[in-house]
Amino acid sequence: RGEPDARATPLPEVTTDWCLPEWRALDEGTCYLLPSEASGPPRRLLVYLSGVVPPTPTSPQKEKVQRVVAAAARRAGVAVLLPRGRRGIGPSTAKDWWAWPTSPAAYAAHAASMVAEWQRARETLERALGRGFERTYLAGSSSGAYFLAALALSGAIDVDGFAAASGGAGGLVTARASVPKRPFYIGYATGDPTSRAPKALASVLTASGWPVRAVAHSGGHGAREEYLDEAFAFWSALEG
């Protein structure tokens, strides 16, 4: 998987307002970021799912997540894919925003196609780099954390590690006992009114035998660099 391939292909030139300036667009709905060339070809890939984001060229939600993920990924020396969700499936207060399927009906309608899109994006990036990634992780915050928790518990995606920040209740799908139990980091803030959800997820995973690290920070809701820093450290420690 990690062997270099001389048949590398160039990445496409795509313009989209989904990606802020420090990111590049892989396609209309997927941003990517590569570490500095000085660190060599990236061997690890992070797929990150943001919270709900308004369909505008710029927004505080988009800017915060892309800034946070870029900073943490550069420290870790990993490549990143940042896909967007679907419009029309968001919460009632943000129905037309870019969002993830967090109801049973929306999950059944969209989850499989979304995972397939991420796989195609990963393969495009691997072809461009001329080598496969040795490790792939799935992380997300808020709405993205709820969705990835459902994917993990149902076995709809198999990656090397998960990280849920400021979200991630386990009640969206029926947990399957047979799914691979990958390292699962959970980060939340004590001042977040939704903090019961990640605590509940940690309890479900721990009781089912998953390797879990749950960490509480001060502050409120949302993506934070500390969560990703701790997740990378947790994954690396278990990988040896």
Side-chain angles (χ1 to χ4, degrees):
R1 257 173 80 182
E3 292 303 314
D5 185 343
R7 296 169 295 175
T9 58
L11 286 164
E13 293 291 335
V14 180
T15 301
T16 173
D17 65 11
W18 176 243
C19 307
L20 296 182
E22 64 180 322
W23 294 76
R24 291 186 63 189
L26 193 66
D27 55 49
E28 186 180 1
T30 309
C31 308
Y32 73 92
L33 189 74
L34 299 176
S36 67
E37 293 183 2
S39 60
R43 297 177 178 273
R44 298 181 295 168
L45 174 68
L46 175 70
V47 180
Y48 194 93
L49 313 182
S50 68
V52 294
V53 175
T56 56
T58 61
S59 67
Q61 296 90 340
K62 182 192 296 186
E63 291 167 4
K64 179 181 180 182
V65 166
Q66 295 196 16
R67 183 182 69 250
V68 161
V69 176
R74 286 195 173 106
R75 279 195 295 276
V78 303
V80 188
L81 286 172
L82 192 102
R84 67 187 178 192
R86 299 277 194 275
R87 294 177 66 180
I89 62 171
S92 58
T93 55
K95 193 70 175 177
D96 200 40
W97 290 23
W98 296 111
W100 304 106
T102 54
S103 71
Y107 182 90
H110 299 287
S113 62
M114 287 179 166
V115 171
E117 287 174 5
W118 307 341
Q119 179 61 27
R120 288 194 295 271
R122 171 186 156 164
E123 291 168 356
T124 298
L125 204 54
E126 287 179 327
R127 286 194 298 271
L129 293 170
R131 67 187 308 153
F133 292 106
E134 296 174 3
R135 304 275 182 178
T136 300
Y137 311 105
L138 180 64
S141 47
S142 192
S143 174
Y146 284 88
F147 181 39
L148 78 84
L151 292 172
L153 288 166
S154 67
I157 189 169
D158 185 17
V159 293
D160 297 289
F162 297 94
S166 294
L172 178 59
V173 298
T174 300
R176 292 174 51 200
S178 61
V179 303
K181 295 175 172 60
R182 306 304 188 195
F184 209 124
Y185 169 87
I186 299 170
Y188 62 94
T190 54
D192 185 349
T194 69
S195 62
R196 285 184 296 178
K199 292 177 185 178
L201 176 62
S203 295
V204 168
L205 292 170
T206 301
S208 300
W210 291 62
V212 178
R213 185 185 181 200
V215 183
H217 287 266
S218 61
H221 187 78
R224 295 169 65 162
E225 293 179 35
E226 292 94 331
Y227 295 146
L228 282 172
D229 290 342
E230 291 169 351
F232 283 123
F234 176 57
W235 296 327
S236 295
L238 292 184
E239 290 164 2

